[in-house]
Structures are given as structure tokens and as C-alpha cells.
Amino acid sequence: MNRKIKKATTHVIQNEGLIFEKSSPGKKGYKLPELDVPEVNPSQVLGNAARADLGNMPEVSEIEIIRHFTRISTWNYGVDTGLYPLGSCTMKYNPRINEIVARLDGLANAHPYQPEKVSQGALLILQALRKALMEICGMEAITLQPAAGAHGELTGILLVRAYLQSQGNPRKKILIPDSAHGTNPATAAIAGYEVENLKSNAHGMVDIPSLEAQMNEDVAALMVTNPNTVGLFEQEIHKVAEIVHRKGGLVYMDGANMNALVGKVRPGDFGIDVMHLNLHKTFSTPHGGGGPGSGPVACKKIMEPFLPIPVVVTKKDGTLGFDYDRPQSIGRVRAFYGNFGMHVRALAYIMANGRDGLVQTTEDAVLNANYIRKKLDGVYELPYSTPSMHEVVFSDHKQTAKGIKTGDIAKRLIDYGFHPYTVSFPMIVHGALMIEPTESESLEEMDLFIDAMKNIAEECENTPEVVLSAPHTTRIGRLDETRAARQPILRWKPQAQSAKGD
Amino acid sequence: MAYPADLKYTKEHEWIKVEGDTGIIGITDHAQKALGDIVFVELPKPGATLTQGKSLGTVESVKAVSDIYAPASGTVTEVNQELNTAPEKVNADPHGAWMLKVKLSNPGEVKNLLSAADYEKFVAEEDGH
Amino acid sequence: MRYLPKSPTDRELMLREIGIRSVDELFAPIPAEYRLKRELDIAPSMAEADILDWFRQRAADTAASGYANFLGAGAYHHYRPVVIDTLISRGEFFTAYTPYQPEISQGTLQAIFEFQTMICELTGMEVANASMYDGSTAATEAVLMAARVTGRRSAVVARSVHPEYREVLASYAKNQGIPLAEVPFLENGRVNAAALEKAITDGTACVLIQSPNFFGTIEDVAAVAEIAHRKGALLVVAIAEAVSLGIVKPPTEADIVAMEAQSFGVPLSFGGPYAGVIATKEKFVRQMPGRLVGQTVDKQGRRGFVLTLSTREQHIRREKATSNICTNQALIALMATVFMTVYGREGLKELATQNLAKTAYAVEQFGKTAKVLFQGAPRFNEFVVQTSKDPKTLNGRMLKQKIIGGLPLKKFYPELGNASLWCCTELTRRVAIEAAATALSPQKAKPQVVSTEVAQ
């Protein structure tokens, strides 16, 4: 074992096949209550719509289910395991009180269509969260309906379209900086707009002269991420907004990086018209292996009439209810009211932090990123000298001389007991290593990470083959992704298994 | 790999071989190297019309997708079906693994494409950046 | 702040290392004039006990288990085996991100692969994605997918599809230039096949139906598929009540199935988070939106799983992507996977049959005091009742008996008059069914509070 690897060591891990491979007829993991009404014969009730059998669905007992999922869970790395520096994803701690309150009977078991009269508690939660998020963003209206960040982007751009339409012309194009998340151009296209790329300047920010040149009456909006995906605050954001507004366009902010701003500055105060938030980033709702997310959209008063239906309102009698009568609304983007369970968690997080904790959280997130930046500057190349906010982007430029790329360094980091950073994004930085520690990391954990990154840089010089063939300590090695894409196997089938799990 | 002299090349890294009024189209060695392991090639059906410089399909590796631009205008007469099941042939033999045969509508267009020597120079310059 | 693992000394030390005096210097890039010069108007930090107390009060103000609930309509009250929460609460599942690094994400990847397989088994489709936002967005994405597959630019939608699914579809379709034609339903609750046939043109990409449909009626999927296919259109079948798949023939004749998996062990949670899924034929897989997990091997030939065919997605194809969707609903899909595993091959059938029996009994009981609409076609666990009085008034009365009555349909289907949509699941008790049937009676009966306690 490499003595330089301090955080991790090897440990016996259980092997486990697919659940279907444990199945055998007659095993059961359930028991239904006795039926208190007369039995029915399905083929009599359903006729030829009745189903004969359920094919290869598994038949297993409860203990096998517990062991199966427990065993495979140990092959994962989570925030609970350690530093998870996946830039742009904001892998912060997921407080446990959030989980407890979201599972309270009245909240977890409330039906979305039950009468408003017996839903006042749930409605109050929606109202309280809306109020807090508007205050944090400096905005005057909000919808909680979008189910994720990209869904929020779409909702926001549809609001832009509806507003401009009401002014007489929805316009044709959306300007998007070359450093943007891929969801931005995809969203603009789904909303029926053409995408026009806007280049970044030598500091990694929106290039003002290019914006001046490209902004005209055909442009509906600029979609900007601030801090941008390189982790830099758009210092001339007010100028950017002014240029767009002067030509009658709107400024959309991708709020993916809002965790760098909470309590310090409000997008509504620096010229943003509409934005989304990712509750699973800034407000600690769990990522859960890729979702659920939640992407509320906050906007200025001018766009309020167009918000998706329904909107939570206080009625004449003082109780809360849903308003569906909004003739200018963009319609619906999701059934019901959005990911309520995530709204509950985000509100619990805001309450636990309070105004004092929210600001300290922002400060610690920025402090942590800058600490890592300082310690690794010189070890890895910093493509931009501009000060970082909540994340720092290095490049693999120094290491490519030995044929080692950012993806290889990332794999080696696994052996050191860490989840890799974000690899090869943003695309404007060639060979990017995008590191976001979040506020959830202690000094000790960060020093271990810095130490690991320094050791790997040395290995790149002295023993590059160790890095190139990493990881060495995981249950399985690097997987053949080409094979997976050329001959896709997207489901299990009996017998036809070519490679058996060991 | 040497670039065959009997092919003409585009700056978007396609090649075309002209035989009478038929053009045979593929992507260059440089293109396949830049993409890496090719996993899928998406091509138009016979009968489709191509316009020089316009996208005719895409070629995909595991983590990238790239448009294929028509080196010349015309009507597709034949598609290399083999690439459906064996896209790796483009990696193994880029200048042999043809993608489309086209009946050229304006064979004169090919004149404005690059020769093997000019393409090689172009690629060397591009790599230098 | 208890979530922040740093002492004041740690912070001092870090500032010194960075070479600055105060943390404010780190915020210097933000122009001073825009910075917030006051505290946020949010209460100060609260103790855990106070937070719990506050939410308990909100929960107490919201009806849940204490009521006999007859609501369905796209969100279903099924029993959730306790192992679901035990397993999804493992930090390795719930604090992990999207499995971009397969070597340390095999748990999530294998679970998704199992999910995809089970969805294929249940729907009769060949491939299924790793999940999407919910049933309404899945149905919408399925229609957009059909437009890509066929190159056609319009769709025909049955009026018996969930009204909110149709509203979501309309919001998306409007900006994509996809006109939607609506087709009415027959007296038996099924889509009007003759009208459907007429509505399909050479430009129709797909027909969208739901089965069981919004009224609980099971559509004749094969017949609709035949009509759609004859005219070169695809058939998209939406399934809002996944438990129906335990006993209802899967829509194998469909080209795309868009499903809501909430019924599979996902809490009602006032409408979300749920999990949508798209399943389809193998030949359409490259036009399918959403993440996909595939099986492969490492250098030593050991089986492992990776995200695959990702060139369809926004992070690579940007504005040309199949969809702008980025997240899936992995944790919710995991709930569904555990649920499907618990019940399995026999249990899902038994569970669905119980739903069928409760509903058949309810239809019989309600038929004595009110008019049950849409007779003559099979239904699963929902049915529509027509009453002489406004269902809102009747529901208001029943609330006092701790019964949450069916969904009044006037907002969605004014043509049905005083109609409401009722749902019975395995959790609906006979006494509640009988009490509700009595409450619908035009003769005023003495209201009885329904106990939700299990009978001894």
C-alpha cells in the first residue's frame, strides 16, 4: 500500500449479482392485508385486457432485498463518505433533519388534489419558501413548479418569450456565452429560439465588445451564469445587463452557482430579470445519485402575469389557496405543483441556517475554494488569474507533457480516497479540472485533498504509468465505454449474459 | 497515415473520390483520430439530396458527436450499410470505409476542394494551434 | 452554525495562507454598489427541535393518514413497504451525484440497470431510460421524440389523457410548432376511434392515449395502434397508474410508453417528487431523451455498468440534443426499484388484483346511490360518479366524516356535469367505501365518522 495515500485504505467489499440472478419461484418479500371485499376474477373483470404473467420480475425475500441494495450501495461514494469536489454540482452536506420533516405524515402523505381547506400546512410551506427565495434573489415573483434546474431554465425562457410576445414581438435568438452549461443552448432550442454563441474574453468573462456587436432587436435574452462556470464573478454584469436592456432584451441568470452569492449580493439588484435556483445545489436537498432536483424560477414583477399555473395566493378569507385563473400564464410545465418534498427540505435548510448561517455558508464556500486554489497554484496550471468565487478551475497543461490528461488524474484521485472533480468542463478551458469543495469541508479534509493532488502531480512526473492505469483500488477497473456504446446492453435478459459478475 | 492523392478533401475533414458523375464520401484519418473510437454513424437514406457544405449526418464517439458536411452536392444513391453494425471500420480504415455514394449534380464543385498535399498542410497548421 | 466544520482559528489560518486579512477581500470582485448592505429578511438560525416542531404543526394542518382518501387522478395512495426508506436513506445512495465516474458509482448504476430491466418487463418495451421528472413531462417528451422519429410535426391527443399532462404538452408543443388535435371519448370512457382515425393526417407524428385513462377506463390499445400505424403515425401510451401493470395487459403494440412510477412506493408528497419513465423499441433508442445505463466490462472482463449513448444529451450535443433534461430522478427510481423487488412477479399481480376487487365493490356500492359513468369497458382502480348535487358540496360534508371524496371534474370536463373521479386502492377499507356511498345518497343519511384504524 502506498504510504502517501492517507485518507483511504483497502477493505473487503461484498460481491453481488443482479437481483434477477437471486430470484427463484415461490420466494416472497411481501404480505398483503386480507381482502375485506369479495374477491374478483381478473379475466372476468378485464376480459382480454387481463395480463397473464409478469415475465422475469424477481421473486426474493426481504433479507435478500436488504442485503442486495446494501451491498451495491457500498460500491458508491457519497458526500457522507468524504470531500466530493465535483465542480458546478455543489456537493454539500445533506442535513438529516430535512429528511425527517419531509417524511412527517401530513407532508409525505398529502394528496395534491385534496381540498385546500385541509392542505393549509403544505400551502404555508410553499408560501414561506417562496418568500425566502425571493428575498435571497432580490426578485418580486416566483414559481416553485419546475422539477429541476434545466426545467427551470425552460420555464424562465418561456416567461421571457411570453413577456416579449405581450410587448409585440417574441424575437428570435438567445445569446449564450461559450462557457455555459450544455443545458442552456438545449433549453433555448426547446423554447423555440435560435442559439447564438457569445465568446469569453481573456479573463474568462463575457466579452463586452462582442456583446455590443451581437446584441440587437432580434435577441430575446442573454443567458448568463454568474458566477460563471469558471468560478468567476462577472465583474461587469451591470454593464452586460445595461447593453441587453437598452436593446429591449432580458437577462436570464442560470443560478447554478448561487451558493457563492447568498446573503452577499442579489441578482435582482445587479440587473437580472429572471433566474432559476437549484435547490439540490444551493439549498442542500440530496442529489440522490442524479435527482430529484428542483428548479424554482424567480423573476421581476413584469413577468409575474406569465408564471405557470397555479400560483399560491392568500384568499379573501385569509386562508391560502391556488389561483388557476391567470389568462396570460405560459401554462403548465409539470403536473401538480412541483417537487414539494424538495421544497420542504430547502425550507428546513434555510430555517436551520437563518440569515446568519446563510452568509457564513457563502463565505466558507468561497474561502474553501480559494484555499485550495492557493495551495495548488503552480502544481496545476491556473488558466485565469482572475479571483475565484466558490470553485476553481485548473488545467492539465503541465501534465499533458507526460501524456496525462485531466481524466487520468481524476481516476487516480479515487485511489487516494476522493471522488474526482469535474473533468473537461467548462469547455473553454482545455483539459479542465473543476474543483468545488463547498462549505461542508473541514480544514483537515481539504489538506488531505491538497496533499493527494500534489502527490498525483509528482506521480505524473515520476511514475506516469500509475496514473494512466488508475484506479487500482476499486472493485472494478476502467470500463469499456466504447463497447457499451457500440453494442448497447440496456437491460438484463435471462441466459444471454456474456460476462458473469464475479 | 498518408492521404491518398486520388481523393479530394474538405477543411471539415471529409474526403470525396470522384468516378465519373459519382462521388464516394467518407471522413479523413485526421477526423477519426480526433474523435477517437467511433460508435455510431448516422447517414441519410438513398434518394436524399446533399448540398455542398451542408451537414449530411453525424459521426459519434463515446463522448463527442460531429457533423459530417457534404463535400459536394448531389443525390444519395447508396449508403454503406456495413457501418451500421461495424462503425469501428471508420477507425481502422478511414479512407477505405466509405459512407455514401452520390450522383453529383455539379461535378465542377469538387475543384474548390483541397488536394492531398494541401490538406496535409492544413491539418499540420491546425494541430500547431 | 452546526453544518459548518470550521473553527474561527481555522478560518484565520486559511485567510493567512491565502494572504488576505479578511474574508471580505474574497468578495471584492462583486462591485460594491450592488452588494447587499443589510441582513437578509430571514429569521436567524433555528434549533433542530424548533424546526421539527414548526413542520409538525404544518403537517398537523394538512390531512393525511387520518382520512379515508378516495383521490387518485395521477397520484395514488399505495402502501410503501418500510424497507424502501431504510435503503434509500443509505448515504452512499442519497448523497451521491450522477454516476459520471463509474468505478465509484456502481451501486447507483447497477440499481438503474435493474430499474430499466423491470420497466421493460412490465411495459413489454425493449428499452427504458433511467427516469425523467414525472409522468406529465415523460408524456410530453415522448411526443417530441415521436416527432423526431417520424419527421412529422403534429400530434393527436385523446381528451381522456390526464388534463394536466395535456396542459404540460401544450406548453412545450406551442413553441416547437407542433399543433395538437384533441379527440373526444365515447360513452364507455374509451377514446372515440372513428374520430381518432379522422384526426390523423399525413403530418401526424403520433397519437397519445393514456391507459388506464384519466377515468380509469382501460383503452383498446391494439385497436388504436392499428389505426395509428396504418396512417404512418406512432402510438404513445401514457400510464399514470403503474400498479395497473400488475394485472392489465402491457401496451406492447405501442411504440413509446410514457409512465409515471409514483405508484411504485413513492410518497404522495403533495404532488412530487415523482419519477417519469420513457420506454420504447430498440430501434428508436437514439431518439429517446434521458439517461441510459448500459452493461460492459473492464479490462479483466468483469461486468460493470456505465452511462451510455450520452451523445444524445445536452452536455455533448447542446442545442441539438434530444432534450434539455439533465437530471433524472435516480433516488425516486430507486424507491420504485425496491418496491418492484419487494412485490415482484407474484406480489404485483396480487396487489393489482386487490385494487381491482376494491374498485369493483365500490362501483357496485356507489351504483346504489349515484350514477357510475362509463360502463361497458373494463376499468382498473378509478371510476367516475355523477351526482345530483355539486360534488364539492358533498365532499365538504364528507370531510366532517374524515372522508376525502373523489376529485370534482367540472374544472376539467364541464360536459360531465356534477361528476367526480374516485379511486380505490388496496388501502381503501370496505367501511369507508360503504360510508362514502351512503354519503352520496340524495336522501340525507346520518353522517358517520369513518375510523381509519385497522379493524381488530
Side-chain angles (χ1 to χ4, degrees):
Chain A
M1 193 74 222
N2 185 337
R3 286 243 209 110
K4 288 189 165 168
I5 298 178
K6 293 175 187 151
K7 180 163 174 272
T9 187
T10 50
H11 173 69
V12 171
I13 284 190
Q14 306 284 319
N15 287 318
E16 179 73 3
L18 288 161
I19 194 74
F20 310 100
E21 293 160 354
K22 308 179 89 74
S23 171
S24 52
K27 287 202 278 193
K28 272 185 184 162
Y30 72 96
K31 167 86 177 94
L32 283 161
E34 289 304 315
L35 193 60
D36 62 359
V37 297
E39 277 187 30
V40 292
N41 178 346
S43 49
Q44 237 165 41
V45 178
L46 298 175
N48 60 6
R51 178 170 201 155
D53 77 291
L54 271 70
N56 296 302
M57 291 300 282
E59 290 176 84
V60 286
S61 63
E62 185 167 320
I63 173 67
E64 289 169 291
I65 296 169
I66 290 285
R67 283 202 181 138
H68 175 73
F69 290 101
T70 300
R71 285 173 182 168
I72 67 172
S73 80
T74 63
W75 308 339
N76 269 5
Y77 185 103
V79 175
D80 284 4
T81 319
L83 174 68
Y84 206 126
L86 208 55
S88 185
C89 302
T90 314
M91 300 301 291
K92 61 166 69 185
Y93 170 60
N94 305 126
R96 292 320 197 257
I97 183 69
N98 298 359
E99 299 306 310
I100 298 297
V101 295
R103 285 175 174 80
L104 290 172
D105 179 45
L107 307 181
N109 298 319
H111 191 284
Y113 287 147
Q114 66 191 35
E116 288 166 1
K117 194 178 158 192
V118 289
S119 306
Q120 289 298 305
L123 286 160
L124 185 63
I125 288 169
L126 292 175
Q127 202 63 317
L129 181 65
R130 291 175 72 224
K131 191 166 163 271
L133 296 180
M134 282 190 281
E135 164 68 2
I136 287 167
C137 298
M139 292 290 179
E140 295 152 318
I142 192 166
T143 173
L144 303 179
Q145 196 176 95
H151 204 210
E153 288 176 28
L154 176 66
T155 308
I157 295 300
L158 292 182
L159 290 174
V160 166
R161 181 182 266 282
Y163 169 74
L164 292 174
Q165 180 78 65
S166 77
Q167 302 293 300
N169 178 6
R171 304 190 173 196
K172 291 184 193 138
K173 290 188 288 194
I174 304 279
L175 292 181
I176 301 177
D178 51 11
S179 58
H181 293 117
T183 50
N184 293 176
T187 294
I190 298 261
Y193 280 112
E194 284 168 41
V195 174
E196 193 169 301
N197 227 321
L198 189 65
K199 70 170 195 182
S200 301
N201 65 20
H203 305 289
M205 302 196 194
V206 169
D207 187 60
I208 301 283
S210 301
L211 177 64
E212 295 255 26
Q214 285 172 256
M215 185 63 211
N216 57 41
E217 271 78 19
D218 274 346
V219 176
L222 165 73
M223 283 182 99
V224 64
T225 307
N226 192 22
N228 68 17
T229 56
V230 192
L232 312 175
F233 190 87
E234 291 283 353
Q235 284 170 328
E236 296 188 295
I237 187 69
H238 49 303
K239 217 183 266 177
V240 167
E242 203 186 293
I243 293 166
V244 175
H245 289 153
R246 209 187 304 137
K247 293 279 165 79
L250 297 172
V251 185
Y252 182 92
M253 186 177 115
D254 180 328
N257 297 336
M258 188 65 197
N259 55 315
L261 308 181
V262 175
K264 289 286 181 183
V265 62
R266 309 190 310 166
D269 296 339
F270 58 68
I272 303 299
D273 300 298
V274 50
M275 64 180 288
H276 80 263
L277 293 162
N278 301 80
L279 297 187
H280 51 290
K281 293 181 180 176
T282 306
F283 298 97
S284 86
T285 69
H287 283 78
S294 178
V297 172
C299 62
K300 290 282 171 66
K301 194 90 189 157
I302 51 164
M303 273 174 270
E304 189 179 26
F306 310 103
L307 288 177
I309 49 165
V311 172
V312 185
V313 291
T314 307
K315 299 194 294 191
K316 279 190 201 117
D317 63 0
T319 62
L320 295 169
F322 288 113
D323 178 16
Y324 288 86
D325 184 20
R326 301 177 64 84
Q328 288 186 283
S329 166
I330 58 165
R332 254 182 192 288
V333 293
R334 187 193 180 284
F336 312 121
Y337 326 115
N339 285 345
F340 177 75
M342 299 300 123
H343 305 150
V344 173
R345 289 168 173 87
L347 184 61
Y349 174 78
I350 291 170
M351 288 162 73
N353 275 287
R355 57 183 176 234
D356 41 341
L358 287 172
V359 175
Q360 183 72 66
T361 296
T362 304
E363 289 179 356
D364 277 9
V366 175
L367 181 65
N368 280 1
N370 279 281
Y371 181 74
I372 288 176
R373 173 181 164 132
K374 178 78 180 184
K375 292 282 195 170
L376 293 180
D377 186 4
V379 182
Y380 296 91
E381 189 190 69
L382 260 184
Y384 297 107
S385 56
T386 330
S388 295
M389 297 295 290
H390 65 299
E391 62 195 356
V392 53
V393 178
F394 293 98
S395 88
D396 61 10
H397 194 73
K398 282 174 192 279
Q399 287 72 31
T400 44
K402 295 276 177 180
I404 294 169
K405 293 183 183 158
T406 173
D408 302 311
I409 300 165
K411 296 293 184 206
R412 183 60 176 149
L413 205 44
I414 295 172
D415 288 331
Y416 277 83
F418 291 96
H419 192 281
Y421 46 77
T422 294
V423 176
S424 304
F425 182 85
M427 293 192 288
I428 56 165
V429 175
H430 196 267
L433 292 70
M434 187 195 217
I435 300 170
E436 178 179 17
T438 83
E439 72 282 359
S440 303
E441 299 311 325
S442 67
L443 184 54
E444 183 195 8
E445 185 85 359
M446 282 194 297
D447 282 340
L448 283 168
F449 174 74
I450 289 159
D451 199 49
M453 288 297 287
K454 285 180 173 170
N455 281 328
I456 296 170
E458 269 175 38
E459 288 172 351
C460 291
E461 288 300 316
N462 306 325
T463 50
E465 64 287 352
V466 176
V467 181
L468 286 167
S469 53
H472 305 281
T473 53
T474 47
R475 211 184 119 259
I476 49 161
R478 287 195 203 187
L479 289 157
D480 187 346
E481 296 189 43
T482 303
R483 175 176 161 149
R486 276 185 186 156
Q487 297 123 23
I489 301 174
L490 304 172
R491 56 155 300 177
W492 173 84
K493 279 180 189 159
Q495 277 120 39
Q497 298 296 291
S498 47
K500 199 81 175 124
D502 54 335
Chain B
M1 189 180 283
Y3 289 97
D6 58 338
L7 308 182
K8 290 284 213 170
Y9 300 86
T10 69
K11 287 187 175 175
E12 287 79 33
H13 311 288
E14 293 84 17
W15 55 258
I16 183 166
K17 185 177 186 178
V18 180
E19 291 174 349
D21 64 352
T22 298
I24 304 170
I25 295 169
I27 65 166
T28 68
D29 181 48
H30 176 83
Q32 70 81 13
K33 272 196 192 126
L35 277 162
D37 289 339
I38 289 164
V39 298
F40 187 67
V41 184
E42 188 189 13
L43 297 171
K45 290 196 176 82
T49 4
L50 308 184
T51 310
Q52 189 179 44
K54 290 265 155 46
S55 171
L56 63 83
T58 55
V59 55
E60 294 181 12
S61 63
V62 173
K63 283 183 179 146
V65 53
S66 179
D67 278 305
I68 308 169
Y69 296 95
S73 309
T75 311
V76 177
T77 55
E78 203 183 332
V79 176
N80 188 352
Q81 297 295 344
E82 223 184 1
L83 300 182
N84 284 340
T85 48
E88 60 272 18
K89 296 222 152 124
V90 178
N91 290 118
D93 181 15
H95 303 132
W98 61 276
M99 293 176 174
L100 298 170
K101 289 190 181 168
V102 180
K103 186 171 172 0
L104 300 173
S105 54
N106 180 7
E109 274 177 347
V110 180
K111 286 202 188 86
N112 54 33
L113 300 180
L114 303 173
S115 68
D118 288 344
Y119 179 70
E120 210 160 336
K121 208 184 290 169
F122 171 73
V123 166
E125 273 170 26
E126 225 184 27
D127 281 350
H129 281 264
Chain C
M1 182 46 218
R2 67 181 184 278
Y3 303 153
L4 300 174
K6 265 188 283 296
S7 69
T9 322
D10 291 341
R11 292 192 181 101
E12 283 300 312
L13 192 144
M14 289 170 71
L15 288 172
R16 268 208 306 282
E17 288 281 342
I18 296 170
I20 55 174
R21 287 170 171 217
S22 102
V23 75
D24 290 339
E25 290 178 47
L26 294 174
F27 291 88
I30 304 174
E33 57 192 301
Y34 298 110
R35 273 182 249 164
L36 193 63
K37 289 164 199 84
R38 57 167 176 86
E39 285 191 311
L40 285 170
D41 182 16
I42 286 172
S45 172
M46 280 170 73
E48 191 171 284
D50 293 337
I51 295 170
L52 187 56
D53 194 46
W54 190 87
F55 280 99
R56 274 190 181 138
Q57 286 176 38
R58 303 291 80 77
D61 288 346
T62 310
S65 301
Y67 287 74
N69 195 327
F70 286 94
L71 289 168
Y76 301 91
H77 194 32
H78 292 290
Y79 180 72
R80 302 181 61 237
V82 297
V83 298
I84 294 175
D85 277 352
T86 306
L87 290 168
I88 67 138
S89 299
R90 287 194 62 90
E92 298 94 326
F93 281 133
F94 116 101
T95 74
Y97 192 61
T98 305
Y100 287 131
Q101 298 287 342
E103 297 88 347
I104 46 170
S105 312
Q106 283 299 303
T108 297
L109 287 161
Q110 181 168 324
I112 294 174
F113 187 77
E114 292 175 349
F115 174 79
Q116 291 174 183
T117 305
M118 291 185 203
I119 296 295
C120 288
E121 287 291 337
L122 289 178
T123 58
M125 292 288 113
E126 292 163 352
V127 288
N129 68 9
S131 77
M132 350 233 331
Y133 304 143
D134 76 332
S136 69
T137 46
T140 298
E141 295 271 7
V143 171
L144 302 184
M145 175 182 159
R148 286 192 300 275
V149 168
T150 58
R152 296 174 169 196
R153 302 295 295 173
S154 68
V156 171
V157 182
R159 187 163 163 74
S160 47
V161 170
H162 195 303
E164 294 195 2
Y165 287 22
R166 285 185 280 126
E167 287 175 30
V168 174
L169 173 59
S171 312
Y172 276 72
K174 193 165 62 186
N175 302 299
Q176 300 254 316
I178 298 181
L180 305 172
E182 199 173 85
V183 178
F185 46 85
L186 297 169
E187 245 174 62
N188 66 3
R190 281 181 166 172
V191 64
N192 184 329
L196 184 102
E197 182 153 13
K198 251 189 226 157
I200 306 174
T201 68
D202 289 349
T204 304
C206 70
V207 170
L208 169 65
I209 61 168
Q210 180 181 321
S211 185
N213 69 22
F214 189 67
F215 308 128
T217 305
I218 296 160
E219 296 282 1
D220 187 347
V221 176
V224 177
E226 199 274 320
I227 297 170
H229 292 159
R230 195 167 358 110
K231 297 213 167 181
L234 302 187
L235 175 64
V236 179
V237 174
I239 301 173
E241 169 49 300
V243 165
S244 66
L245 286 167
I247 198 64
V248 176
K249 210 167 135 256
T252 45
E253 301 86 355
D255 300 284
I256 310 172
V257 173
M259 205 170 111
E260 168 59 68
Q262 179 271 330
S263 283
F264 288 162
V266 182
L268 283 170
S269 196
F270 206 50
Y274 296 166
V277 199
I278 285 187
T280 186
K281 310 275 186 204
E282 224 163 63
K283 61 182 174 187
F284 300 139
V285 69
R286 283 181 184 273
Q287 296 301 338
M288 179 165 71
R291 291 186 183 135
L292 269 171
V293 169
Q295 179 183 315
T296 185
V297 290
D298 71 358
K299 285 220 172 71
Q300 294 179 51
R302 292 174 294 198
R303 178 171 70 187
F305 303 93
V306 293
L307 288 175
T308 192
L309 303 183
S310 50
T311 47
R312 300 164 299 117
E313 295 180 64
Q314 48 74 26
H315 63 279
I316 292 173
R317 211 177 273 248
R318 300 175 83 83
E319 69 266 27
K320 290 180 186 160
T322 51
S323 160
N324 74 330
I325 190 167
C326 180
T327 47
N328 62 347
Q329 302 278 298
L331 200 66
I332 309 296
L334 180 63
M335 286 185 192
T337 308
V338 176
F339 179 96
M340 290 187 278
T341 308
V342 167
Y343 283 103
R345 188 162 182 262
E346 293 303 319
L348 283 172
K349 194 172 178 178
E350 205 180 316
L351 173 68
T353 308
Q354 278 209 359
N355 278 253
L356 215 53
K358 300 266 187 177
T359 307
Y361 182 72
V363 167
E364 191 192 311
Q365 296 301 308
F366 279 55
K368 292 178 186 166
T369 56
K371 188 181 178 195
V372 177
L373 296 182
F374 306 132
Q375 304 280 0
R379 60 170 71 86
F380 181 57
N381 68 356
E382 287 170 281
F383 56 97
V384 176
V385 175
Q386 211 171 43
T387 46
S388 47
K389 283 211 172 71
D390 185 337
K392 278 192 178 159
T393 314
L394 295 169
N395 281 353
R397 220 185 279 160
M398 276 184 272
L399 262 188
K400 295 184 190 110
Q401 294 172 259
K402 295 254 175 190
I403 295 172
I404 294 178
L407 177 71
L409 292 180
K410 209 164 268 176
K411 188 173 79 175
F412 297 131
Y413 300 95
E415 68 268 35
L416 295 178
N418 283 332
S420 52
L421 176 67
W422 294 69
C423 173
C424 293
T425 71
E426 76 281 6
L427 292 172
T428 314
R429 295 181 52 233
R430 180 181 188 143
V431 285
I433 293 171
E434 287 163 359
T438 308
L440 290 185
S441 165
Q443 285 87 39
K444 230 180 175 175
K446 199 177 162 213
Q448 248 188 329
V449 174
V450 175
S451 162
T452 51
E453 301 295 312
V454 174
Q456 293 303 304

